[in-house]
Amino acid sequence: MSSTSSPLGEQALCAYLAQCPPAALAFSGGCDSALLLALAAKAGCSIRPYFVKGDFQPEFELEDARRLCRELGVPLTVIQAHPLTEPCIRANDAQRCYHCKRLIFENLISRAKADGRTLLFDGTNASDPEADRPGMRALRELSVQSPLRRFGLTKTQVRAISRRMGLFTADKPAYACLATRIPTGTPLEKRDLERVESAEAALFGMGFSNLRLRLSGDTGRLQLPAAQLEKAAAQHEAITRQLRPFVSEVLLDLTPRPEVE
């Protein structure tokens, strides 16, 4: 069977979703959780998506989450979180992701239980590495269930099924949280996260995509897929001008990012 064809795991997953109790979904607006939501809705599962909006999520992710929920006819619940109020997160050490996941999912679990939902899903798929990922440890500790992983659906299969179902998220690139743009060990500041979000939005507006702007002091290091490097080099003056309100210098990283993750 081709890795892009409809896997047997999809059938088993849909059968599971059709009979599971009312569930909550940690919905990021990305490709994986979007497919899980669409399959659950199609299977007749009583599922409620929750989007946790905090300092690390750009506004467009919430807009995408709202758009998909409208298209599926599923109400979206938005929860506010404030990770920068937690010293263990703000310190931005090697365990930041663990502490942040704990905060976000504890808030989500509390709200879901208040809504009568004790089963919590997330969109981790079978391609996501588990070793050395602090965030995955937090999910295990909180008994968060990952149906895509459980039934063996890889990222390639998730995208193929999403295309077949007509989901606009099918080819949406992975977008790591804004905190990943700040070097580990550098304390997180709201202003720096806002600078990154605004600068990346400006780059999106110029037609670039699947990008990262990594901060180092007042310098931004721009990472792009290989197909966009020549365009960026040709437009270096325009890029510098667009990003001047956010960084004093822009460096173009010549190591390309994957086209789609």
Side-chain angles (χ1 to χ4, degrees):
M1 178 179 292
S2 167
S3 63
T4 59
S5 63
S6 176
L8 293 176
E10 179 191 353
Q11 300 173 22
L13 171 58
C14 290
Y16 166 75
L17 292 170
Q19 57 79 45
C20 74
L25 170 64
F27 185 42
S28 67
C31 177
D32 299 318
S33 56
L35 176 64
L36 184 55
L37 178 60
L39 290 175
K42 182 179 178 181
C45 173
S46 175
I47 191 164
R48 179 175 297 179
Y50 295 80
F51 184 99
V52 180
K53 182 69 173 77
D55 304 298
F56 300 163
Q57 287 74 44
E59 190 65 27
F60 78 82
E61 293 280 42
L62 177 55
E63 293 171 1
D64 283 354
R66 285 174 168 152
R67 174 184 168 186
L68 188 76
C69 286
R70 285 195 305 268
E71 292 181 0
L72 295 175
V74 179
L76 176 66
T77 300
V78 180
I79 302 172
Q80 296 296 322
H82 304 284
L84 289 181
T85 63
E86 301 291 330
C88 59
I89 297 175
R90 189 171 191 136
N92 195 27
D93 64 15
Q95 295 301 308
R96 181 209 72 237
C97 189
Y98 168 77
H99 295 302
C100 189
K101 285 282 190 184
R102 286 280 316 197
L103 172 71
I104 287 174
F105 277 84
E106 284 172 349
N107 285 349
L108 202 161
I109 288 168
S110 177
R111 176 59 186 273
K113 284 183 176 179
D115 292 338
R117 297 167 187 269
T118 57
L119 180 61
L120 175 60
F121 294 151
D122 89 314
T124 302
N125 67 62
S127 299
D128 288 327
E130 189 167 0
D132 301 322
R133 293 187 70 184
M136 296 292 285
R137 176 162 60 95
L139 299 185
R140 290 195 302 271
E141 291 174 356
L142 295 171
S143 299
V144 177
Q145 303 298 306
S146 303
L148 297 176
R149 178 187 282 278
R150 174 179 173 180
F151 289 95
L153 270 68
T154 65
K155 189 72 169 189
T156 298
Q157 291 167 334
V158 165
R159 292 194 184 281
I161 298 166
S162 297
R163 290 187 202 102
R164 194 185 72 228
M165 295 183 69
L167 304 181
F168 76 87
T169 52
D171 295 306
K172 180 178 177 179
Y175 190 88
C177 82
L178 294 171
T180 63
R181 312 303 197 274
I182 312 300
T184 300
T186 300
L188 298 173
E189 301 291 344
K190 187 174 181 62
R191 173 57 184 153
D192 288 338
L193 299 171
E194 291 173 342
R195 288 164 61 201
V196 169
E197 181 175 5
S198 297
E200 291 190 347
L203 290 163
F204 290 140
M206 295 179 69
F208 295 100
S209 61
N210 192 16
L211 57 90
R212 302 286 188 270
L213 187 76
R214 314 272 184 194
L215 284 190
S216 178
D218 203 32
T219 297
R221 176 166 57 90
L222 176 57
Q223 297 177 315
L224 292 165
Q228 300 179 44
L229 290 176
E230 185 175 352
K231 174 183 175 181
Q235 297 188 18
H236 67 281
E237 291 185 1
I239 290 173
T240 300
R241 185 168 58 253
Q242 287 289 329
L243 301 193
R244 189 167 292 124
F246 317 113
V247 292
S248 62
E249 183 179 30
V250 182
L251 304 179
L252 179 60
D253 191 333
L254 296 181
T255 302
R257 288 181 45 74
E259 290 294 337
V260 178
E261 295 175 284

